[in-house]
Amino acid sequence: VDNPRRARILGKTGSSQRLDRWGVLRTDAWFAGVIQPPPDSLESSVVAVCVLPGGGLGGRHAAEVVDSISRRLARSRGWEQRASP
């Protein structure tokens, strides 16, 4: 937010229902994230990451995993170090 030339990282939590091997309904939390390169980057493709750790609602743990992956990717590509204009 404080640097308009930084990659944008967007995401959404969710949950899905499935039957386990015993036929019991289970709920899995998930989080999907998208990393959009900065406007001045030579790379134009977005990167999508989805984590489905299982069990529970809300996707907090999955969101933390996607956040970590996204930040490492942005840092490795130099997107976080860009100076603001």
Side-chain angles (χ1 to χ4, degrees), residues 7-23:
R8 290 196 306 170
I9 300 172
L10 312 163
K12 176 69 178 98
T13 59
S15 59
S16 59
Q17 289 71 42
R18 64 176 170 85
L19 294 176
D20 68 12
R21 63 181 172 175
W22 296 282

Side-chain angles (χ1 to χ4, degrees), residues 6-12 31-38 43 46-51 61-81:
R6 178 181 294 171
R8 290 196 306 170
I9 300 172
L10 312 163
K12 176 69 178 98
F31 188 88
V34 175
I35 307 140
Q36 182 180 19
E43 298 179 58
V46 297
V47 178
V49 179
C50 186
V51 174
H61 177 70
E64 291 170 355
V65 172
V66 170
D67 179 61
S68 177
I69 292 169
S70 300
R71 289 179 187 276
R72 286 180 185 187
L73 177 69
R75 194 169 35 254
S76 74
R77 295 189 178 186
W79 295 343
E80 289 187 341
Q81 287 79 24

